[in-house]
Amino acid sequence: MPDGETRVAGRGEAIRLAADTPVLLLNAPLVGQRLGHPELSGLDLLELFAFLRPARFMVPTPKGLARAVDLSPPETDADVAPFLREAAASLLAMAETDWPEREGAWHAVQSLMRLRWPWAPALVQRIAQPERAERWLFSKLPEWSEQPPRPAPRTVTLDEGAVASRLAQLTGSAAERRQGQRDYAAAAARAFAPRDRRDAPNLVLAEAGTGIGKTLGYLAPASLWAQEAQGAVWISTFTKALQRQLGHESERLFPDPATRKRRIVTRKGRENYLCLLNLEDALQGGFAGRAAILAQLVARWAAYSADGDMIGGDLPGWLPTLFRRNGSTALTDRRGECIYAGCPHYRKCFIERAARASADADIVIANHALVMVNAARGREATTRPTRYVFDEGHHLFEAADAMFSTALSGQEAIELRRWVTGPETGSRGRRRGLAARLSDVASYDEEGGRAISAAVDAARALPSDGWLQRLNEGQPFGPIEALLAAVRGLTYARSEKEGDAGYGLETELAEPDAALVDAAGPAGEALDALLRPLVTLGRRLEAVLADAPDWMDAPARARIEGAIASLGWRTDTVGAWLALIARIGGPADPAFVDWLAVDRIEGREFDVGLHRHWLDPAKPFAETVLKPAHGALVTSATLRAGGDWDVAEARAGAVHLPQTPARFEAPSPFDYGNQAEVLIVTDVKRGDMPGLANAYARLIVAAGGGTLGLFTAVRRLRAVHARIADRLAREGLPLNAQHVDPIDTGTLVDIFRDDPRASLLGTDALRDGVDVPGDSLRLVVMEGVPWPKPTVLHAARRLADGGKAYDDRIVRARLAQAFGRLIRRADDRGTFVLLSAAMPTRLLAAFPAGTPVARVTLDEAIARVRLSSGAGLRHEASATA
């Protein structure tokens, strides 16, 4: 109320008030969605916080905001409204002080005033104009400098006693000595021994159960080797959550922040980082409306960011979602756009700075995808690492599957066309084609100029804007669109069944019809006409570098080197497409699985194409990454993926190496018999959506929140959430969900971790890599047995690798990963509930030995969860006291 009084309002009145008057909000998209009024707008405190405290972490809840502004959190829901007024006043008062991020604020708020940002009028009154001109972002950012190439690492052998001493240093003198962790560190050290012969790295496979402390266990030998050998160790993860965790653990290695920043570097793919040239374009009028406001807030963040990482770095994950992702992806480095040294911000580029910093670092924290991309087509061949640690190693197989696959689809083809030709009629933005990027080479080298022209002409045979509509209308234009039209027709003819509406369709590339065979010939000729000039251009660029003209300075050389790397990637792609087209009507290659697909979301087509995956993607992984390395550690809590050591070796690529890997196993030290139990509910019928929703609601209420609900299908997740959200809200139990709430997954986990009464629903991304120790997670509920989806690719691998036993391994691995979310510390307690009467007994081996397993009714499960959660809460309170 205007006088500050707070009262409860119904949903209809709340919508009317919010539509008529400016209101204070915390996360406007989420509030709007829950009111059923998604276009809700107002004074969002998250936007104000992002402006005043850029690059600062905050859980986007009243409790998190209270912690961030040093206020007492609201005790009840009714206290939230007056608290938001108090928090807004506190933040606005900060704007009148000399707070740490003041520089640049006055300049930014003037721009935001012109953009009519709701908070700008209040801030303009409070932020005084500085006496001296502020340094603007592009002048404030530090420049990187070229360093001489790093010498090859020295050949050293780690002393076992020194490894144990380094581990003791990392764990601290007060920590208990854990023999399992010491044995693990000693086993991991074998990966850092000198290599005896070419293509035979020292490979160590280590399965370490939850609680062993494997992160510090491998950091001890890795950091010791980096110090003694003067080389870099790349630690690769699968999830961004573990990358962040590794960053925190590394503080034990180098407590001094400046030293740590120099010695430990986090690397991600180019698409994760802010592109300064894109940001400059956005700030100078390239964006409009809400997207322009986002650009200003991102500019504020960029001035204080540690590394410019927009995805999982110090940019709050909730910030882009406040703008409904309107413009955030356009600020990152999109495929094929980078002009390297031709960019005016090249010397300050976050991506280039990270690449150069990693060349001199001791520890580089990367991810599986980046490691594989770097090995396959990276520009940093001279600084390629010789030692790797692959944490979350059970995901190497699927990461390699994605990396070494081929897709000749409309989306991929149109992307290639744009990279070659540049902007066409009606196109906006700064995208430039080959001719513009390499104009100086074209004028200097006649043959290179002809190759560029030929490539641009040939690229016009690729799909262009509106290709999907033309396919739907039966009027494809050009040979590639004609091929895609034939793919679409055959896929619908062979794969669509009743009940398939809305889902993607696929069918084997076998026994193609006449239309597909007829379309393959012209499509292959068109791609060959494009491949030839691209290969020629690559050779001419290499020749220009070898015999450098007078005008080629260091920036021009770097730009041409970047163009050569990009050309290599594109020619490899087109070559793979030609091999895939040759398969149409020809013999199958037993090393690959080929199929046709129409991709759809909720009935709407968004792509059509031919796909090729390796039957065993561990083979190209071993050839590309492992063989050139001198040593590698592959580790995980579930490394054997529900099978035995032979399975672990096959999925890690060890079977393709000439040397047998070392094996190590350390079981979890947790007492699962007393800390956890598994309940298999027998009276919830499969396909009974009301019954499934009722089970989730009653279990969450019995646990008092603290529940992670896992689903195998987004459709069922949304249906259950719609049925139980209001019911739980009336119980005072917050509920968030992936694929429902307009919040990124990382922030959802932060919210869940921060509130013991909150619950979270999600799919595969939450089944693995989520670390929520303590009372915030005391119940895991799975909707059913997580059987693999019956795709063409899965069917081929199942046939080649054991049939039913292959499916069982996948399910056991998924169950083990889901159960692993439950017990993260020695004092954790929890229950794992599987809502499936059809759970086969043979799959129970997925759970740790000694874990009690019982088949019960839903009523009995609820009684046990209530008893277990009550005991857990009492235990937590006792431990806190």
PDB file of all heavy atoms in Angstrom, residues 649-668:
ATOM      1  N   GLU A 649      37.193 -49.756 -19.519  1.00  0.00           N
ATOM      2  CA  GLU A 649      38.287 -49.615 -20.487  1.00  0.00           C
ATOM      3  C   GLU A 649      37.752 -49.309 -21.882  1.00  0.00           C
ATOM      4  O   GLU A 649      38.314 -48.478 -22.615  1.00  0.00           O
ATOM      5  CB  GLU A 649      39.138 -50.887 -20.502  1.00  0.00           C
ATOM      6  CG  GLU A 649      39.946 -51.085 -19.227  1.00  0.00           C
ATOM      7  CD  GLU A 649      40.886 -52.274 -19.314  1.00  0.00           C
ATOM      8  OE1 GLU A 649      41.008 -52.851 -20.430  1.00  0.00           O
ATOM      9  OE2 GLU A 649      41.495 -52.633 -18.297  1.00  0.00           O
ATOM     10  N   ALA A 650      36.655 -49.965 -22.249  1.00  0.00           N
ATOM     11  CA  ALA A 650      36.091 -49.742 -23.583  1.00  0.00           C
ATOM     12  C   ALA A 650      35.572 -48.319 -23.725  1.00  0.00           C
ATOM     13  O   ALA A 650      35.814 -47.660 -24.740  1.00  0.00           O
ATOM     14  CB  ALA A 650      34.979 -50.750 -23.845  1.00  0.00           C
ATOM     15  N   ARG A 651      34.859 -47.831 -22.716  1.00  0.00           N
ATOM     16  CA  ARG A 651      34.246 -46.510 -22.823  1.00  0.00           C
ATOM     17  C   ARG A 651      35.259 -45.380 -22.658  1.00  0.00           C
ATOM     18  O   ARG A 651      35.010 -44.259 -23.088  1.00  0.00           O
ATOM     19  CB  ARG A 651      33.124 -46.372 -21.794  1.00  0.00           C
ATOM     20  CG  ARG A 651      31.948 -47.290 -22.087  1.00  0.00           C
ATOM     21  CD  ARG A 651      30.851 -47.183 -21.048  1.00  0.00           C
ATOM     22  NE  ARG A 651      30.137 -45.915 -21.124  1.00  0.00           N
ATOM     23  CZ  ARG A 651      29.122 -45.661 -21.926  1.00  0.00           C
ATOM     24  NH1 ARG A 651      28.693 -46.582 -22.780  1.00  0.00           N
ATOM     25  NH2 ARG A 651      28.519 -44.493 -21.911  1.00  0.00           N
ATOM     26  N   ALA A 652      36.409 -45.658 -22.064  1.00  0.00           N
ATOM     27  CA  ALA A 652      37.454 -44.635 -21.920  1.00  0.00           C
ATOM     28  C   ALA A 652      38.440 -44.658 -23.086  1.00  0.00           C
ATOM     29  O   ALA A 652      39.338 -43.823 -23.143  1.00  0.00           O
ATOM     30  CB  ALA A 652      38.200 -44.832 -20.610  1.00  0.00           C
ATOM     31  N   GLY A 653      38.305 -45.599 -24.015  1.00  0.00           N
ATOM     32  CA  GLY A 653      39.196 -45.656 -25.168  1.00  0.00           C
ATOM     33  C   GLY A 653      40.453 -46.460 -24.942  1.00  0.00           C
ATOM     34  O   GLY A 653      41.313 -46.541 -25.823  1.00  0.00           O
ATOM     35  N   ALA A 654      40.586 -47.118 -23.762  1.00  0.00           N
ATOM     36  CA  ALA A 654      41.818 -47.852 -23.452  1.00  0.00           C
ATOM     37  C   ALA A 654      42.031 -49.036 -24.384  1.00  0.00           C
ATOM     38  O   ALA A 654      43.175 -49.424 -24.650  1.00  0.00           O
ATOM     39  CB  ALA A 654      41.780 -48.320 -22.000  1.00  0.00           C
ATOM     40  N   VAL A 655      40.943 -49.625 -24.894  1.00  0.00           N
ATOM     41  CA  VAL A 655      41.080 -50.801 -25.762  1.00  0.00           C
ATOM     42  C   VAL A 655      41.727 -50.448 -27.095  1.00  0.00           C
ATOM     43  O   VAL A 655      42.153 -51.341 -27.836  1.00  0.00           O
ATOM     44  CB  VAL A 655      39.704 -51.464 -26.007  1.00  0.00           C
ATOM     45  CG1 VAL A 655      39.144 -52.019 -24.709  1.00  0.00           C
ATOM     46  CG2 VAL A 655      38.722 -50.475 -26.635  1.00  0.00           C
ATOM     47  N   HIS A 656      41.817 -49.157 -27.408  1.00  0.00           N
ATOM     48  CA  HIS A 656      42.420 -48.733 -28.675  1.00  0.00           C
ATOM     49  C   HIS A 656      43.868 -48.273 -28.485  1.00  0.00           C
ATOM     50  O   HIS A 656      44.461 -47.687 -29.390  1.00  0.00           O
ATOM     51  CB  HIS A 656      41.593 -47.608 -29.291  1.00  0.00           C
ATOM     52  CG  HIS A 656      40.161 -47.977 -29.514  1.00  0.00           C
ATOM     53  ND1 HIS A 656      39.763 -48.922 -30.426  1.00  0.00           N
ATOM     54  CD2 HIS A 656      39.015 -47.545 -28.907  1.00  0.00           C
ATOM     55  CE1 HIS A 656      38.441 -49.052 -30.383  1.00  0.00           C
ATOM     56  NE2 HIS A 656      37.962 -48.231 -29.478  1.00  0.00           N
ATOM     57  N   LEU A 657      44.423 -48.521 -27.315  1.00  0.00           N
ATOM     58  CA  LEU A 657      45.806 -48.157 -27.023  1.00  0.00           C
ATOM     59  C   LEU A 657      46.662 -49.425 -26.936  1.00  0.00           C
ATOM     60  O   LEU A 657      46.171 -50.488 -26.550  1.00  0.00           O
ATOM     61  CB  LEU A 657      45.896 -47.391 -25.689  1.00  0.00           C
ATOM     62  CG  LEU A 657      45.116 -46.079 -25.616  1.00  0.00           C
ATOM     63  CD1 LEU A 657      45.222 -45.481 -24.216  1.00  0.00           C
ATOM     64  CD2 LEU A 657      45.622 -45.074 -26.649  1.00  0.00           C
ATOM     65  N   PRO A 658      47.946 -49.323 -27.266  1.00  0.00           N
ATOM     66  CA  PRO A 658      48.792 -50.522 -27.246  1.00  0.00           C
ATOM     67  C   PRO A 658      49.192 -50.967 -25.845  1.00  0.00           C
ATOM     68  O   PRO A 658      49.740 -52.058 -25.679  1.00  0.00           O
ATOM     69  CB  PRO A 658      50.026 -50.082 -28.048  1.00  0.00           C
ATOM     70  CG  PRO A 658      50.081 -48.596 -27.884  1.00  0.00           C
ATOM     71  CD  PRO A 658      48.652 -48.149 -27.808  1.00  0.00           C
ATOM     72  N   GLN A 659      48.942 -50.144 -24.836  1.00  0.00           N
ATOM     73  CA  GLN A 659      49.392 -50.443 -23.478  1.00  0.00           C
ATOM     74  C   GLN A 659      48.197 -50.600 -22.539  1.00  0.00           C
ATOM     75  O   GLN A 659      47.265 -49.804 -22.572  1.00  0.00           O
ATOM     76  CB  GLN A 659      50.301 -49.307 -22.991  1.00  0.00           C
ATOM     77  CG  GLN A 659      50.934 -49.545 -21.631  1.00  0.00           C
ATOM     78  CD  GLN A 659      52.043 -48.535 -21.380  1.00  0.00           C
ATOM     79  OE1 GLN A 659      53.068 -48.541 -22.065  1.00  0.00           O
ATOM     80  NE2 GLN A 659      51.839 -47.660 -20.423  1.00  0.00           N
ATOM     81  N   THR A 660      48.210 -51.624 -21.713  1.00  0.00           N
ATOM     82  CA  THR A 660      47.120 -51.879 -20.777  1.00  0.00           C
ATOM     83  C   THR A 660      47.099 -50.806 -19.691  1.00  0.00           C
ATOM     84  O   THR A 660      48.148 -50.464 -19.128  1.00  0.00           O
ATOM     85  CB  THR A 660      47.299 -53.264 -20.116  1.00  0.00           C
ATOM     86  OG1 THR A 660      47.371 -54.250 -21.138  1.00  0.00           O
ATOM     87  CG2 THR A 660      46.135 -53.567 -19.183  1.00  0.00           C
ATOM     88  N   PRO A 661      45.936 -50.254 -19.363  1.00  0.00           N
ATOM     89  CA  PRO A 661      45.880 -49.207 -18.344  1.00  0.00           C
ATOM     90  C   PRO A 661      46.000 -49.781 -16.934  1.00  0.00           C
ATOM     91  O   PRO A 661      45.737 -50.968 -16.699  1.00  0.00           O
ATOM     92  CB  PRO A 661      44.497 -48.588 -18.552  1.00  0.00           C
ATOM     93  CG  PRO A 661      43.673 -49.719 -19.073  1.00  0.00           C
ATOM     94  CD  PRO A 661      44.598 -50.530 -19.935  1.00  0.00           C
ATOM     95  N   ALA A 662      46.408 -48.932 -16.008  1.00  0.00           N
ATOM     96  CA  ALA A 662      46.392 -49.300 -14.591  1.00  0.00           C
ATOM     97  C   ALA A 662      44.978 -49.103 -14.049  1.00  0.00           C
ATOM     98  O   ALA A 662      44.264 -48.203 -14.487  1.00  0.00           O
ATOM     99  CB  ALA A 662      47.385 -48.439 -13.816  1.00  0.00           C
ATOM    100  N   ARG A 663      44.582 -49.946 -13.104  1.00  0.00           N
ATOM    101  CA  ARG A 663      43.245 -49.847 -12.511  1.00  0.00           C
ATOM    102  C   ARG A 663      43.380 -49.574 -11.012  1.00  0.00           C
ATOM    103  O   ARG A 663      44.274 -50.085 -10.348  1.00  0.00           O
ATOM    104  CB  ARG A 663      42.467 -51.150 -12.701  1.00  0.00           C
ATOM    105  CG  ARG A 663      42.216 -51.553 -14.130  1.00  0.00           C
ATOM    106  CD  ARG A 663      41.633 -52.966 -14.149  1.00  0.00           C
ATOM    107  NE  ARG A 663      41.262 -53.415 -15.495  1.00  0.00           N
ATOM    108  CZ  ARG A 663      40.809 -54.636 -15.749  1.00  0.00           C
ATOM    109  NH1 ARG A 663      40.676 -55.511 -14.755  1.00  0.00           N
ATOM    110  NH2 ARG A 663      40.493 -54.984 -16.985  1.00  0.00           N
ATOM    111  N   PHE A 664      42.443 -48.773 -10.508  1.00  0.00           N
ATOM    112  CA  PHE A 664      42.408 -48.515  -9.069  1.00  0.00           C
ATOM    113  C   PHE A 664      40.959 -48.377  -8.636  1.00  0.00           C
ATOM    114  O   PHE A 664      40.156 -47.764  -9.341  1.00  0.00           O
ATOM    115  CB  PHE A 664      43.171 -47.238  -8.707  1.00  0.00           C
ATOM    116  CG  PHE A 664      43.059 -46.862  -7.249  1.00  0.00           C
ATOM    117  CD1 PHE A 664      43.874 -47.461  -6.307  1.00  0.00           C
ATOM    118  CD2 PHE A 664      42.124 -45.934  -6.823  1.00  0.00           C
ATOM    119  CE1 PHE A 664      43.773 -47.138  -4.956  1.00  0.00           C
ATOM    120  CE2 PHE A 664      42.006 -45.597  -5.487  1.00  0.00           C
ATOM    121  CZ  PHE A 664      42.835 -46.208  -4.545  1.00  0.00           C
ATOM    122  N   GLU A 665      40.650 -48.934  -7.477  1.00  0.00           N
ATOM    123  CA  GLU A 665      39.288 -48.841  -6.956  1.00  0.00           C
ATOM    124  C   GLU A 665      39.339 -48.521  -5.472  1.00  0.00           C
ATOM    125  O   GLU A 665      40.090 -49.144  -4.713  1.00  0.00           O
ATOM    126  CB  GLU A 665      38.543 -50.157  -7.177  1.00  0.00           C
ATOM    127  CG  GLU A 665      37.121 -50.151  -6.631  1.00  0.00           C
ATOM    128  CD  GLU A 665      36.441 -51.497  -6.765  1.00  0.00           C
ATOM    129  OE1 GLU A 665      37.090 -52.453  -7.266  1.00  0.00           O
ATOM    130  OE2 GLU A 665      35.268 -51.615  -6.354  1.00  0.00           O
ATOM    131  N   ALA A 666      38.536 -47.533  -5.056  1.00  0.00           N
ATOM    132  CA  ALA A 666      38.419 -47.189  -3.639  1.00  0.00           C
ATOM    133  C   ALA A 666      36.939 -47.032  -3.325  1.00  0.00           C
ATOM    134  O   ALA A 666      36.302 -46.096  -3.809  1.00  0.00           O
ATOM    135  CB  ALA A 666      39.168 -45.900  -3.326  1.00  0.00           C
ATOM    136  N   PRO A 667      36.375 -47.943  -2.526  1.00  0.00           N
ATOM    137  CA  PRO A 667      34.946 -47.833  -2.199  1.00  0.00           C
ATOM    138  C   PRO A 667      34.678 -46.633  -1.301  1.00  0.00           C
ATOM    139  O   PRO A 667      35.566 -46.149  -0.596  1.00  0.00           O
ATOM    140  CB  PRO A 667      34.644 -49.147  -1.474  1.00  0.00           C
ATOM    141  CG  PRO A 667      35.966 -49.588  -0.925  1.00  0.00           C
ATOM    142  CD  PRO A 667      36.997 -49.123  -1.910  1.00  0.00           C
ATOM    143  N   SER A 668      33.452 -46.146  -1.348  1.00  0.00           N
ATOM    144  CA  SER A 668      33.066 -44.998  -0.525  1.00  0.00           C
ATOM    145  C   SER A 668      33.204 -45.338   0.961  1.00  0.00           C
ATOM    146  O   SER A 668      32.876 -46.448   1.384  1.00  0.00           O
ATOM    147  CB  SER A 668      31.619 -44.594  -0.833  1.00  0.00           C
ATOM    148  OG  SER A 668      31.181 -43.616   0.080  1.00  0.00           O
TER     149      SER A 668
END
